[in-house]
Amino acid sequence: MSGLVCRDVVARYRHGGDVLHGVDLDGPHGAITALIGPNGSGKSTLLKAIVGIVRARGSVVIDGDDARAMTAAERARRVAYVPQRSLLSAPLPVHVVVAQGRFTHRHSFARMRDEDRAAVQSAMADADVEHLACRPFTELSGGEAQRVLIARALATGASVVLLDEPTSSQDVRHALELHAVLGRLRERETAIVACLHDLSEVRGLADRAVLLDAGRVHAAGPAAEIVSNEHVAQVYGVEIVDGAGLGYRMLDRTGGPS
């Protein structure tokens, strides 16, 4: 199967027991796959295991190739990862941070090529951070910083994109704009896997969902089937009340629907 395929993934941190217990995940091209589950269920750990930040056993296959046989640079070209927050502490300008997404496409000290600059510019436009280009990354708000990290991931041109709570720091408008960006990536046949907390967001955005509970897959399949009263009650201990939440849609600059 093309895209991302994980089988029997087991992971643990250095001090402590296993966090993931034989997790399977399919992230096909042209689809948004939501990772859902209560806090501590292993969602973020699974993303880190896929990119090699956390050591794991099991199989991770990217477009038919074993990730364990790839160099770190090759894996970074194939899989882009957007964490919840960055550890970057240097006051680099935003355009430099986004350009980091192109490092694995050129030799260490080679200058940016036209195609690199075009990729960076396109990514900044998609993530709505062009106006922040010269701002120091360390002076950004949480939502602004998250969009810059998303732009850096888009600049890689990776066929698989992993996002950890991408809308958690976003205001309503930027969250909807991010949904539009992910929709465009889906149309380009990118495989997208995102950890999401808001189950109404999952219903409206994702094609597929994988529900984790205590490091194990409780259920997986079409998002509309997984975000159901049966599964949500069993894992979260709550009942879905349809129509109880707020809904939003984008407006253009004149105040009309976009």
Side-chain angles (χ1 to χ4, degrees), residues 110-126:
R111 292 189 176 187
M112 294 269 284
R113 300 163 298 180
D114 288 344
E115 63 191 78
D116 297 319
R117 284 187 283 271
V120 169
Q121 192 64 36
S122 175
M124 292 179 67
D126 275 344

Side-chain angles (χ1 to χ4, degrees), residues 37-60:
N39 290 340
S41 58
K43 303 185 298 295
S44 297
T45 300
L46 179 56
L47 295 190
K48 292 175 182 177
I50 292 168
V51 295
I53 296 173
V54 172
R55 287 191 176 184
R57 303 192 305 275
S59 170
V60 175

